[in-house]
Amino acid sequence: MRPDPAEGGALSIEVELVTGRGRTWWPRPGRVVTVAPEHTFAQFAEAVDRAFGRWDLDHLRMVVLPGGVEVSWSAWRDGPAFPGTRDGRSCRLDLLAPGSVFAYVFDLGADWTHLCTVRRDRAAHPPVRPALRDGWGDRPDQYGSDIADDGVLAGLPPLLASWRARRA
């Protein structure tokens, strides 16, 4: 069921990070991305990756819609869509209705999985491109880099167990 254009053109998609790099995230960090129904899944995915601070974007991606329909990650680069999937460069978000859910996966090796929930956004005007509207929780580094591992905590007194563990 497609959104009714008479009800307003913007949708908000709540994106919650579920897993990544072998970890289950709880509480789940989340972002809200405002989109227009004519935006593509590739545009949406790029907005999500920016919102979560991903900087190395040369990774495979895919979207899984209800019913197991997949939007191809390979199509977001040059070349044809992955066999049996829809092309992310042309498949539009107007396939989604408020209340529907889908999954977005960034970096199929590290398995950054996201639960995406679609909502009608009557307060927002449709943006020119998908835009971050809100967010909460951590923005984990896609490679698990930890600033403390760079020696930042090395000079602290060993008052806390976490400080002692990082001194070595």
Side-chain angles (χ1 to χ4, degrees), residues 17-101:
L17 179 62
V18 179
T19 63
R21 299 194 72 248
R23 177 177 172 186
T24 300
W25 296 89
W26 188 261
R28 294 181 187 146
R31 305 293 180 264
V32 177
V33 178
T34 302
V35 299
E38 62 269 10
H39 290 140
T40 66
F41 281 94
Q43 290 172 311
F44 167 74
E46 290 167 6
V48 170
D49 295 338
R50 282 192 311 271
F52 278 97
R54 297 185 179 125
W55 48 273
D56 181 358
L57 302 177
D58 194 24
H59 291 279
L60 307 177
R61 301 169 175 94
M62 79 176 188
V63 171
V64 180
L65 301 173
V69 175
E70 293 182 358
V71 179
S72 176
W73 47 261
S74 63
W76 299 350
R77 297 178 173 213
D78 296 331
F82 191 71
T85 66
R86 296 184 181 201
D87 186 331
R89 295 172 297 186
S90 60
C91 189
R92 296 172 9 151
L93 299 176
D94 64 359
L95 294 174
L96 305 171
S100 59
V101 295

